[in-house]
mmCIF file of all heavy atoms in Angstrom:
data_model
loop_
_atom_site.group_PDB
_atom_site.id
_atom_site.type_symbol
_atom_site.label_atom_id
_atom_site.label_comp_id
_atom_site.label_asym_id
_atom_site.label_seq_id
_atom_site.Cartn_x
_atom_site.Cartn_y
_atom_site.Cartn_z
ATOM 1 N N ILE C 136 44.618 -189.666 -64.025
ATOM 2 C CA ILE C 136 43.995 -189.897 -65.325
ATOM 3 C C ILE C 136 45.050 -190.270 -66.363
ATOM 4 O O ILE C 136 44.835 -191.161 -67.202
ATOM 5 C CB ILE C 136 43.204 -188.652 -65.757
ATOM 6 C CG1 ILE C 136 41.985 -188.461 -64.848
ATOM 7 C CG2 ILE C 136 42.760 -188.739 -67.208
ATOM 8 C CD1 ILE C 136 41.274 -187.147 -65.051
ATOM 9 N N PHE C 137 46.200 -189.605 -66.325
ATOM 10 C CA PHE C 137 47.278 -189.927 -67.267
ATOM 11 C C PHE C 137 47.750 -191.367 -67.088
ATOM 12 O O PHE C 137 47.938 -192.097 -68.078
ATOM 13 C CB PHE C 137 48.434 -188.949 -67.056
ATOM 14 C CG PHE C 137 49.620 -189.226 -67.928
ATOM 15 C CD1 PHE C 137 49.541 -189.089 -69.305
ATOM 16 C CD2 PHE C 137 50.822 -189.612 -67.364
ATOM 17 C CE1 PHE C 137 50.650 -189.337 -70.104
ATOM 18 C CE2 PHE C 137 51.930 -189.868 -68.159
ATOM 19 C CZ PHE C 137 51.843 -189.724 -69.530
ATOM 20 N N ALA C 138 47.928 -191.811 -65.849
ATOM 21 C CA ALA C 138 48.333 -193.200 -65.606
ATOM 22 C C ALA C 138 47.242 -194.176 -66.044
ATOM 23 O O ALA C 138 47.533 -195.261 -66.583
ATOM 24 C CB ALA C 138 48.653 -193.393 -64.123
ATOM 25 N N THR C 139 45.971 -193.810 -65.845
ATOM 26 C CA THR C 139 44.864 -194.665 -66.280
ATOM 27 C C THR C 139 44.817 -194.781 -67.798
ATOM 28 O O THR C 139 44.546 -195.857 -68.346
ATOM 29 C CB THR C 139 43.534 -194.111 -65.749
ATOM 30 O OG1 THR C 139 43.620 -193.945 -64.329
ATOM 31 C CG2 THR C 139 42.385 -195.052 -66.062
ATOM 32 N N VAL C 140 45.082 -193.678 -68.485
ATOM 33 C CA VAL C 140 45.106 -193.705 -69.950
ATOM 34 C C VAL C 140 46.217 -194.620 -70.453
ATOM 35 O O VAL C 140 46.036 -195.390 -71.420
ATOM 36 C CB VAL C 140 45.268 -192.272 -70.486
ATOM 37 C CG1 VAL C 140 45.598 -192.282 -71.975
ATOM 38 C CG2 VAL C 140 44.000 -191.479 -70.246
ATOM 39 N N ILE C 141 47.382 -194.577 -69.816
ATOM 40 C CA ILE C 141 48.477 -195.464 -70.216
ATOM 41 C C ILE C 141 48.094 -196.924 -69.988
ATOM 42 O O ILE C 141 48.346 -197.795 -70.843
ATOM 43 C CB ILE C 141 49.762 -195.095 -69.443
ATOM 44 C CG1 ILE C 141 50.296 -193.751 -69.923
ATOM 45 C CG2 ILE C 141 50.822 -196.179 -69.608
ATOM 46 C CD1 ILE C 141 51.548 -193.307 -69.221
ATOM 47 N N ALA C 142 47.480 -197.222 -68.843
ATOM 48 C CA ALA C 142 47.044 -198.592 -68.578
ATOM 49 C C ALA C 142 46.025 -199.058 -69.610
ATOM 50 O O ALA C 142 46.087 -200.207 -70.094
ATOM 51 C CB ALA C 142 46.461 -198.686 -67.165
ATOM 52 N N SER C 143 45.096 -198.183 -69.981
ATOM 53 C CA SER C 143 44.103 -198.538 -70.985
ATOM 54 C C SER C 143 44.748 -198.785 -72.345
ATOM 55 O O SER C 143 44.360 -199.705 -73.077
ATOM 56 C CB SER C 143 43.053 -197.422 -71.081
ATOM 57 O OG SER C 143 42.102 -197.718 -72.074
ATOM 58 N N ALA C 144 45.745 -197.964 -72.712
ATOM 59 C CA ALA C 144 46.435 -198.149 -73.986
ATOM 60 C C ALA C 144 47.186 -199.480 -74.017
ATOM 61 O O ALA C 144 47.167 -200.200 -75.029
ATOM 62 C CB ALA C 144 47.393 -196.988 -74.228
ATOM 63 N N LEU C 145 47.837 -199.836 -72.915
ATOM 64 C CA LEU C 145 48.566 -201.103 -72.860
ATOM 65 C C LEU C 145 47.616 -202.289 -72.979
ATOM 66 O O LEU C 145 47.891 -203.260 -73.705
ATOM 67 C CB LEU C 145 49.363 -201.189 -71.556
ATOM 68 C CG LEU C 145 50.489 -200.165 -71.384
ATOM 69 C CD1 LEU C 145 51.143 -200.332 -70.015
ATOM 70 C CD2 LEU C 145 51.519 -200.310 -72.487
ATOM 71 N N MET C 146 46.487 -202.225 -72.291
ATOM 72 C CA MET C 146 45.512 -203.307 -72.408
ATOM 73 C C MET C 146 44.893 -203.365 -73.803
ATOM 74 O O MET C 146 44.608 -204.446 -74.330
ATOM 75 C CB MET C 146 44.413 -203.135 -71.350
ATOM 76 C CG MET C 146 44.871 -203.456 -69.952
ATOM 77 S SD MET C 146 43.532 -203.415 -68.748
ATOM 78 C CE MET C 146 43.250 -201.648 -68.656
ATOM 79 N N GLY C 147 44.729 -202.193 -74.425
ATOM 80 C CA GLY C 147 44.143 -202.168 -75.756
ATOM 81 C C GLY C 147 45.037 -202.798 -76.809
ATOM 82 O O GLY C 147 44.573 -203.587 -77.648
ATOM 83 N N ILE C 148 46.340 -202.486 -76.788
ATOM 84 C CA ILE C 148 47.229 -203.071 -77.795
ATOM 85 C C ILE C 148 47.421 -204.565 -77.548
ATOM 86 O O ILE C 148 47.557 -205.342 -78.501
ATOM 87 C CB ILE C 148 48.579 -202.331 -77.834
ATOM 88 C CG1 ILE C 148 49.306 -202.415 -76.484
ATOM 89 C CG2 ILE C 148 48.387 -200.875 -78.228
ATOM 90 C CD1 ILE C 148 50.681 -201.769 -76.505
ATOM 91 N N THR C 149 47.414 -204.986 -76.285
ATOM 92 C CA THR C 149 47.503 -206.420 -76.004
ATOM 93 C C THR C 149 46.254 -207.155 -76.491
ATOM 94 O O THR C 149 46.342 -208.244 -77.098
ATOM 95 C CB THR C 149 47.694 -206.656 -74.493
ATOM 96 O OG1 THR C 149 48.838 -205.935 -74.043
ATOM 97 C CG2 THR C 149 47.880 -208.130 -74.195
ATOM 98 N N GLU C 150 45.098 -206.569 -76.250
ATOM 99 C CA GLU C 150 43.845 -207.175 -76.712
ATOM 100 C C GLU C 150 43.802 -207.264 -78.235
ATOM 101 O O GLU C 150 43.360 -208.275 -78.811
ATOM 102 C CB GLU C 150 42.679 -206.342 -76.180
ATOM 103 C CG GLU C 150 41.308 -206.849 -76.537
ATOM 104 C CD GLU C 150 40.222 -205.952 -75.984
ATOM 105 O OE1 GLU C 150 40.180 -205.747 -74.753
ATOM 106 O OE2 GLU C 150 39.423 -205.428 -76.787
ATOM 107 N N LYS C 151 44.287 -206.222 -78.905
ATOM 108 C CA LYS C 151 44.308 -206.226 -80.370
ATOM 109 C C LYS C 151 45.232 -207.317 -80.903
ATOM 110 O O LYS C 151 44.914 -207.988 -81.901
ATOM 111 C CB LYS C 151 44.749 -204.856 -80.868
ATOM 112 C CG LYS C 151 44.694 -204.699 -82.380
ATOM 113 C CD LYS C 151 43.279 -204.792 -82.885
ATOM 114 C CE LYS C 151 43.226 -204.538 -84.389
ATOM 115 N NZ LYS C 151 41.847 -204.685 -84.928
ATOM 116 N N LEU C 152 46.366 -207.515 -80.252
ATOM 117 C CA LEU C 152 47.295 -208.563 -80.689
ATOM 118 C C LEU C 152 46.675 -209.952 -80.528
ATOM 119 O O LEU C 152 46.806 -210.813 -81.405
ATOM 120 C CB LEU C 152 48.599 -208.468 -79.895
ATOM 121 C CG LEU C 152 49.585 -207.376 -80.298
ATOM 122 C CD1 LEU C 152 50.764 -207.356 -79.343
ATOM 123 C CD2 LEU C 152 50.064 -207.575 -81.728
#
Side-chain angles (χ1 to χ4, degrees):
I136 292 171
F137 177 66
T139 306
V140 168
I141 290 180
S143 178
L145 295 177
M146 287 186 288
I148 61 177
T149 304
E150 181 181 302
K151 185 65 176 177
L152 282 176

